[in-house]
Amino acid sequence: MKNIILIAAPAAGKGTQAKLIEEKYGLIHISTGDLLRSEVSSNSELGIELDKIMKKGQLVSDEIVEDLLRKKINSSNSNGFVLEGYPRNLNQASRLDVILNEINKKIDYVIYLDVPFEIALKRSSGRLQCKYCGKIYNLNDEKLRPLKNGICNNCGKEIYQRNDDNEESFKIRFNTYLENTKPLIDYYKSKGLLKEVDSSKDCYTVFSSIENIIGK
Ligand code: AMP
């Protein structure tokens, strides 16, 4: 049983690596971004409010995200999880310690995917995602292009561009990351949990570095 957290700048490859980890190690993939997007597509009152915040590239309130995360963690009955998009600030990191303590779980590895701004921006501009299964594609990476335009290789459903994957939103998200999320690197380093991976390489090279950490 392994519980893994991925920390990275927006569009650094968290979602892509989380899916590869999920497939290889049978861990459940938990993405707070996906949980929030699913609330948005339900068109609930909450979803409409969330959409406005997310479009602008701002962070949703800690309480709302924690609520969604708790429901997902409690309903997932698996060997372990790969969590991405959470925690995004120090308060969320200490809340996560509380949540995991309550259910007798602990974090095994926090993997920091290091990528420069320019590469993340390029990935963001080419990123597409399946509405149904969440699989991530990238038009700027030949290894991550869909086989058929606009169609998911996995489930044949529509793939779309997120409405926060534009340059303006990306820059806000990147700054939010520097200010709020990057301090988590020292937080997890001091707990002896942090592993660093160069995420500027192609996705399979990055995954191979992750396998070296988790075990082949
Ligand atoms: P992501 O899919 O991780 O890039 O997240 C997309 C957007 O969802 C972010 O820009 C935030 O607006 C929101 N979001 C996702 N996770 C969190 C979180 N842990 N705390 C606050 N907002 C979040």
Side-chain angles (χ1 to χ4, degrees):
M1 161 145 162
K2 295 267 194 308
N3 295 318
I4 297 164
I5 296 179
L6 300 183
I7 291 189
K14 294 188 295 290
T16 303
Q17 295 304 326
K19 283 262 177 270
L20 292 170
I21 295 170
E22 177 183 44
E23 276 161 27
K24 166 140 189 183
Y25 298 95
L27 307 183
I28 180 165
H29 171 196
I30 304 177
S31 153
T32 49
D34 283 348
L35 294 175
L36 290 161
R37 279 184 288 278
S38 138
E39 190 65 43
V40 169
S41 48
S42 77
N43 257 326
S44 64
E45 230 170 87
L46 173 64
I48 294 166
E49 283 314 303
L50 292 176
D51 191 37
K52 290 183 199 153
I53 300 168
M54 292 164 72
K55 240 185 224 159
K56 285 191 236 158
Q58 294 166 349
L59 289 184
V60 168
S61 82
D62 290 352
E63 292 72 23
I64 292 175
V65 186
E66 180 173 331
D67 197 39
L68 291 171
L69 177 70
R70 274 182 181 276
K71 283 183 195 142
K72 179 74 181 179
I73 283 196
N74 290 334
S75 68
S76 59
N77 176 23
S78 79
N79 286 336
F81 58 75
V82 51
L83 174 61
E84 50 107 354
Y86 194 97
R88 259 199 164 76
N89 58 36
L90 286 167
N91 179 50
Q92 291 184 4
S94 67
R95 292 300 305 156
L96 182 62
D97 292 340
V98 172
I99 298 169
L100 294 180
N101 203 23
E102 283 170 14
I103 53 175
N104 276 324
K105 290 192 170 158
K106 66 172 185 59
I107 301 163
D108 294 288
Y109 305 109
V110 176
I111 302 177
Y112 165 49
L113 304 175
D114 186 20
V115 84
F117 172 86
E118 293 304 333
I119 293 184
L121 174 62
K122 189 169 172 213
R123 285 182 185 168
S124 160
S125 73
R127 175 161 65 182
L128 297 170
Q129 185 168 13
C130 175
K131 276 202 167 146
Y132 183 73
C133 72
K135 187 172 167 65
I136 295 166
Y137 296 89
N138 206 302
L139 300 178
N140 294 330
D141 180 338
E142 62 180 46
K143 292 185 175 144
L144 289 174
R145 281 189 202 130
L147 297 171
K148 273 197 209 160
N149 262 353
I151 304 289
C152 178
N153 299 350
N154 264 1
C155 62
K157 298 265 171 31
E158 184 196 346
I159 52 180
Y160 76 110
Q161 183 176 43
R162 284 168 42 173
N163 62 12
D164 59 354
D165 269 341
N166 57 71
E167 192 164 341
E168 191 189 345
S169 238
F170 178 82
K171 284 182 176 157
I172 298 171
R173 284 191 287 144
F174 198 87
N175 283 333
T176 305
Y177 160 77
L178 292 180
E179 204 174 304
N180 296 278
T181 313
K182 226 171 166 202
L184 296 178
I185 291 169
D186 282 340
Y187 178 83
Y188 287 118
K189 212 181 255 173
S190 71
K191 288 177 172 267
L193 292 172
L194 196 86
K195 306 279 176 192
E196 195 167 324
V197 164
D198 176 1
S199 191
S200 58
K201 306 274 165 41
D202 75 90
C203 66
Y204 298 109
T205 307
V206 176
F207 185 56
S208 173
S209 309
I210 292 178
E211 287 176 308
N212 288 338
I213 294 168
I214 307 176
K216 291 269 177 190

